[in-house]
Amino acid sequence: MDDLRPTLLPDCPPLAPTFFERDTLTVARELLGCRLLRFQPELGRWLGCVIVETEAYTANDPACHAYNRKTGRAAMLYEHPGTAYVYLIYGMYDCLNVVTEPQGTAGAVLFRALEPPEGLGLRTNGPGRLTKALKITRQAYNGLPLTAVESGLYLSAGMQVADHQVVQTTRIGITKAADYPWRFYVKDNPWVSVKAK
DNA sequence: TCAATGATTGAG
DNA sequence: TCAATCATTGAG
């Protein structure tokens, strides 16, 4: 009776790879208000969260894993736009990114906070928390397309966020290029991890 | 404030 | 080889 296969929600088609095949800062800004959809196998249904905080990382950015170099884990940043890049930070937390720019050019947007549906008790304010809450692991999701429903995790367009509701400020937790204003979040949204000072 | 915890990186 | 670093979090 129960069909556990991921099924497409009619009003939530995935964003196309071309959405991500653009300037990383533009993608980071436009992802605010978009939805991250996660299939929950144990419940047989989809869970949708609104993206409220992002950060941009590019090839010529000292804070980027692929800065001036293409080796190891950072190779994923050169993959097809729309690909998931999940890495382990501080030995205990996975962080979710989506690859941007054309294939061959490094770039990614880090998801720092999501607004979850009410009443589920999900903690999605913080890059380590949101992956834990949605059970997104490096082993399962690194390299999967976030543009395909079959991944069980994909991105979809949502509400447009007006410019006056967007705060652009400096990124969190880095020491290199800490002055770059490459972090975007939705103004006054309670799920944002850290407010600008 | 500060320790936990492990992959990645760069120096030797 | 091996020590320092790190896009964080939760406990005290």
Side-chain angles (χ1 to χ4, degrees), chain A residues 87 90 97 128-129 173-174:
Chain A
Y87 71 93
Y90 298 119
N97 303 245
R129 290 185 184 140
I174 58 173

mmCIF file of all heavy atoms in Angstrom, chain A residues 87 90 97 128-129 173-174, chain C residues 5-11:
data_model
loop_
_atom_site.group_PDB
_atom_site.id
_atom_site.type_symbol
_atom_site.label_atom_id
_atom_site.label_comp_id
_atom_site.label_asym_id
_atom_site.label_seq_id
_atom_site.Cartn_x
_atom_site.Cartn_y
_atom_site.Cartn_z
ATOM 1 N N TYR A 87 30.769 18.404 3.222
ATOM 2 C CA TYR A 87 32.074 18.123 3.824
ATOM 3 C C TYR A 87 31.965 18.124 5.355
ATOM 4 O O TYR A 87 31.019 18.651 5.920
ATOM 5 C CB TYR A 87 33.105 19.160 3.366
ATOM 6 C CG TYR A 87 32.867 20.515 3.956
ATOM 7 C CD1 TYR A 87 33.493 20.912 5.135
ATOM 8 C CD2 TYR A 87 31.976 21.380 3.363
ATOM 9 C CE1 TYR A 87 33.247 22.145 5.692
ATOM 10 C CE2 TYR A 87 31.721 22.609 3.910
ATOM 11 C CZ TYR A 87 32.357 22.990 5.075
ATOM 12 O OH TYR A 87 32.090 24.206 5.628
ATOM 13 N N TYR A 90 35.247 20.462 11.648
ATOM 14 C CA TYR A 90 35.578 20.286 13.057
ATOM 15 C C TYR A 90 35.400 18.851 13.531
ATOM 16 O O TYR A 90 35.108 18.600 14.695
ATOM 17 C CB TYR A 90 34.748 21.234 13.929
ATOM 18 C CG TYR A 90 35.011 22.682 13.629
ATOM 19 C CD1 TYR A 90 34.008 23.513 13.186
ATOM 20 C CD2 TYR A 90 36.299 23.198 13.766
ATOM 21 C CE1 TYR A 90 34.259 24.849 12.898
ATOM 22 C CE2 TYR A 90 36.560 24.522 13.480
ATOM 23 C CZ TYR A 90 35.538 25.350 13.045
ATOM 24 O OH TYR A 90 35.798 26.647 12.769
ATOM 25 N N ASN A 97 26.572 22.299 0.783
ATOM 26 C CA ASN A 97 26.768 23.360 -0.214
ATOM 27 C C ASN A 97 26.183 22.905 -1.533
ATOM 28 O O ASN A 97 26.037 21.702 -1.765
ATOM 29 C CB ASN A 97 28.258 23.618 -0.479
ATOM 30 C CG ASN A 97 29.057 23.986 0.749
ATOM 31 O OD1 ASN A 97 29.573 25.081 0.852
ATOM 32 N ND2 ASN A 97 29.198 23.058 1.679
ATOM 33 N N GLY A 128 25.705 23.150 10.707
ATOM 34 C CA GLY A 128 25.857 21.811 11.242
ATOM 35 C C GLY A 128 24.530 21.247 11.713
ATOM 36 O O GLY A 128 24.262 20.054 11.608
ATOM 37 N N ARG A 129 23.679 22.136 12.214
ATOM 38 C CA ARG A 129 22.381 21.691 12.726
ATOM 39 C C ARG A 129 21.441 21.266 11.616
ATOM 40 O O ARG A 129 20.710 20.282 11.743
ATOM 41 C CB ARG A 129 21.724 22.800 13.540
ATOM 42 C CG ARG A 129 22.418 23.062 14.845
ATOM 43 C CD ARG A 129 21.636 24.078 15.638
ATOM 44 N NE ARG A 129 22.318 24.430 16.864
ATOM 45 C CZ ARG A 129 22.362 25.663 17.338
ATOM 46 N NH1 ARG A 129 21.768 26.629 16.682
ATOM 47 N NH2 ARG A 129 22.986 25.908 18.449
ATOM 48 N N GLY A 173 32.681 32.537 11.028
ATOM 49 C CA GLY A 173 33.568 31.439 11.383
ATOM 50 C C GLY A 173 34.813 31.253 10.552
ATOM 51 O O GLY A 173 35.457 30.214 10.631
ATOM 52 N N ILE A 174 35.164 32.240 9.734
ATOM 53 C CA ILE A 174 36.372 32.118 8.927
ATOM 54 C C ILE A 174 37.373 33.193 9.332
ATOM 55 O O ILE A 174 37.011 34.213 9.929
ATOM 56 C CB ILE A 174 36.065 32.256 7.418
ATOM 57 C CG1 ILE A 174 35.406 33.595 7.120
ATOM 58 C CG2 ILE A 174 35.209 31.109 6.933
ATOM 59 C CD1 ILE A 174 35.225 33.864 5.651
ATOM 60 P P DT C 5 47.767 26.675 13.477
ATOM 61 O OP1 DT C 5 48.278 28.001 13.088
ATOM 62 O OP2 DT C 5 47.320 26.401 14.852
ATOM 63 O "O5'" DT C 5 46.586 26.305 12.462
ATOM 64 C "C5'" DT C 5 46.886 26.139 11.077
ATOM 65 C "C4'" DT C 5 45.653 25.628 10.361
ATOM 66 O "O4'" DT C 5 45.435 24.235 10.640
ATOM 67 C "C3'" DT C 5 44.354 26.357 10.750
ATOM 68 O "O3'" DT C 5 43.745 26.788 9.551
ATOM 69 C "C2'" DT C 5 43.527 25.285 11.441
ATOM 70 C "C1'" DT C 5 44.045 24.020 10.781
ATOM 71 N N1 DT C 5 43.861 22.767 11.544
ATOM 72 C C2 DT C 5 43.322 21.665 10.898
ATOM 73 O O2 DT C 5 42.963 21.680 9.730
ATOM 74 N N3 DT C 5 43.211 20.541 11.658
ATOM 75 C C4 DT C 5 43.583 20.405 12.986
ATOM 76 O O4 DT C 5 43.443 19.341 13.558
ATOM 77 C C5 DT C 5 44.132 21.587 13.605
ATOM 78 C C7 DT C 5 44.564 21.553 15.027
ATOM 79 C C6 DT C 5 44.248 22.698 12.855
ATOM 80 P P DC C 6 42.735 28.007 9.520
ATOM 81 O OP1 DC C 6 42.984 28.759 8.290
ATOM 82 O OP2 DC C 6 42.783 28.678 10.827
ATOM 83 O "O5'" DC C 6 41.323 27.261 9.422
ATOM 84 C "C5'" DC C 6 41.053 26.376 8.336
ATOM 85 C "C4'" DC C 6 39.794 25.607 8.689
ATOM 86 O "O4'" DC C 6 40.132 24.507 9.532
ATOM 87 C "C3'" DC C 6 38.764 26.435 9.474
ATOM 88 O "O3'" DC C 6 37.632 26.694 8.678
ATOM 89 C "C2'" DC C 6 38.381 25.568 10.656
ATOM 90 C "C1'" DC C 6 39.009 24.244 10.361
ATOM 91 N N1 DC C 6 39.512 23.499 11.537
ATOM 92 C C2 DC C 6 39.469 22.103 11.506
ATOM 93 O O2 DC C 6 39.027 21.534 10.502
ATOM 94 N N3 DC C 6 39.907 21.425 12.562
ATOM 95 C C4 DC C 6 40.393 22.087 13.633
ATOM 96 N N4 DC C 6 40.823 21.376 14.669
ATOM 97 C C5 DC C 6 40.449 23.507 13.678
ATOM 98 C C6 DC C 6 40.000 24.171 12.613
ATOM 99 P P DA C 7 37.325 27.158 7.365
ATOM 100 O OP1 DA C 7 37.484 26.197 6.319
ATOM 101 O OP2 DA C 7 38.044 28.463 7.313
ATOM 102 O "O5'" DA C 7 35.767 27.429 7.492
ATOM 103 C "C5'" DA C 7 35.290 28.448 8.312
ATOM 104 C "C4'" DA C 7 33.790 28.511 8.164
ATOM 105 O "O4'" DA C 7 33.461 28.675 6.760
ATOM 106 C "C3'" DA C 7 33.069 27.245 8.602
ATOM 107 O "O3'" DA C 7 31.748 27.558 9.009
ATOM 108 C "C2'" DA C 7 33.034 26.418 7.316
ATOM 109 C "C1'" DA C 7 32.754 27.528 6.300
ATOM 110 N N9 DA C 7 33.269 27.202 4.983
ATOM 111 C C8 DA C 7 34.540 27.336 4.519
ATOM 112 N N7 DA C 7 34.690 26.968 3.274
ATOM 113 C C5 DA C 7 33.417 26.561 2.890
ATOM 114 C C6 DA C 7 32.904 26.054 1.703
ATOM 115 N N6 DA C 7 33.633 25.883 0.610
ATOM 116 N N1 DA C 7 31.600 25.734 1.659
ATOM 117 C C2 DA C 7 30.861 25.928 2.751
ATOM 118 N N3 DA C 7 31.230 26.392 3.934
ATOM 119 C C4 DA C 7 32.531 26.699 3.938
ATOM 120 P P DT C 8 31.534 27.840 10.627
ATOM 121 O OP1 DT C 8 30.214 28.324 10.823
ATOM 122 O OP2 DT C 8 32.726 28.593 11.090
ATOM 123 O "O5'" DT C 8 31.607 26.375 11.253
ATOM 124 C "C5'" DT C 8 30.628 25.387 10.923
ATOM 125 C "C4'" DT C 8 30.127 24.693 12.164
ATOM 126 O "O4'" DT C 8 31.226 24.445 13.061
ATOM 127 C "C3'" DT C 8 29.107 25.503 12.968
ATOM 128 O "O3'" DT C 8 27.884 24.783 12.971
ATOM 129 C "C2'" DT C 8 29.698 25.596 14.369
ATOM 130 C "C1'" DT C 8 30.733 24.486 14.383
ATOM 131 N N1 DT C 8 31.882 24.711 15.282
ATOM 132 C C2 DT C 8 32.230 23.703 16.167
ATOM 133 O O2 DT C 8 31.623 22.660 16.263
ATOM 134 N N3 DT C 8 33.309 23.981 16.946
ATOM 135 C C4 DT C 8 34.066 25.139 16.928
ATOM 136 O O4 DT C 8 35.010 25.266 17.659
ATOM 137 C C5 DT C 8 33.641 26.141 15.990
ATOM 138 C C7 DT C 8 34.397 27.432 15.881
ATOM 139 C C6 DT C 8 32.581 25.887 15.223
ATOM 140 P P DT C 9 26.557 25.352 13.693
ATOM 141 O OP1 DT C 9 25.423 24.833 12.940
ATOM 142 O OP2 DT C 9 26.730 26.795 13.916
ATOM 143 O "O5'" DT C 9 26.574 24.624 15.105
ATOM 144 C "C5'" DT C 9 26.637 23.213 15.118
ATOM 145 C "C4'" DT C 9 26.984 22.699 16.490
ATOM 146 O "O4'" DT C 9 28.273 23.157 16.892
ATOM 147 C "C3'" DT C 9 26.000 23.138 17.571
ATOM 148 O "O3'" DT C 9 25.317 21.985 18.009
ATOM 149 C "C2'" DT C 9 26.883 23.728 18.674
ATOM 150 C "C1'" DT C 9 28.278 23.245 18.295
ATOM 151 N N1 DT C 9 29.383 24.159 18.645
ATOM 152 C C2 DT C 9 30.396 23.711 19.466
ATOM 153 O O2 DT C 9 30.427 22.598 19.931
ATOM 154 N N3 DT C 9 31.380 24.631 19.719
ATOM 155 C C4 DT C 9 31.456 25.924 19.236
ATOM 156 O O4 DT C 9 32.387 26.655 19.524
ATOM 157 C C5 DT C 9 30.365 26.319 18.391
ATOM 158 C C7 DT C 9 30.341 27.692 17.827
ATOM 159 C C6 DT C 9 29.387 25.434 18.134
ATOM 160 P P DG C 10 24.011 22.121 18.947
ATOM 161 O OP1 DG C 10 23.111 21.023 18.568
ATOM 162 O OP2 DG C 10 23.533 23.505 18.948
ATOM 163 O "O5'" DG C 10 24.611 21.790 20.377
ATOM 164 C "C5'" DG C 10 25.315 20.561 20.551
ATOM 165 C "C4'" DG C 10 25.956 20.548 21.906
ATOM 166 O "O4'" DG C 10 27.040 21.507 21.959
ATOM 167 C "C3'" DG C 10 25.015 20.939 23.046
ATOM 168 O "O3'" DG C 10 25.331 20.117 24.144
ATOM 169 C "C2'" DG C 10 25.367 22.396 23.318
ATOM 170 C "C1'" DG C 10 26.863 22.375 23.066
ATOM 171 N N9 DG C 10 27.420 23.676 22.687
ATOM 172 C C8 DG C 10 26.809 24.687 21.983
ATOM 173 N N7 DG C 10 27.582 25.724 21.801
ATOM 174 C C5 DG C 10 28.773 25.371 22.429
ATOM 175 C C6 DG C 10 29.979 26.087 22.561
ATOM 176 O O6 DG C 10 30.242 27.210 22.135
ATOM 177 N N1 DG C 10 30.936 25.365 23.270
ATOM 178 C C2 DG C 10 30.753 24.109 23.773
ATOM 179 N N2 DG C 10 31.779 23.564 24.424
ATOM 180 N N3 DG C 10 29.630 23.422 23.646
ATOM 181 C C4 DG C 10 28.682 24.112 22.971
ATOM 182 P P DA C 11 24.418 19.969 25.437
ATOM 183 O OP1 DA C 11 23.657 18.732 25.239
ATOM 184 O OP2 DA C 11 23.715 21.243 25.690
ATOM 185 O "O5'" DA C 11 25.494 19.743 26.588
ATOM 186 C "C5'" DA C 11 26.758 19.139 26.289
ATOM 187 C "C4'" DA C 11 27.839 19.769 27.162
ATOM 188 O "O4'" DA C 11 28.252 21.037 26.622
ATOM 189 C "C3'" DA C 11 27.388 20.046 28.604
ATOM 190 O "O3'" DA C 11 28.465 19.787 29.475
ATOM 191 C "C2'" DA C 11 27.070 21.534 28.548
ATOM 192 C "C1'" DA C 11 28.180 22.011 27.643
ATOM 193 N N9 DA C 11 27.943 23.299 27.014
ATOM 194 C C8 DA C 11 26.790 23.744 26.429
ATOM 195 N N7 DA C 11 26.875 24.967 25.943
ATOM 196 C C5 DA C 11 28.184 25.335 26.230
ATOM 197 C C6 DA C 11 28.915 26.509 25.973
ATOM 198 N N6 DA C 11 28.396 27.558 25.341
ATOM 199 N N1 DA C 11 30.189 26.552 26.389
ATOM 200 C C2 DA C 11 30.701 25.488 27.012
ATOM 201 N N3 DA C 11 30.115 24.327 27.305
ATOM 202 C C4 DA C 11 28.851 24.320 26.883
#
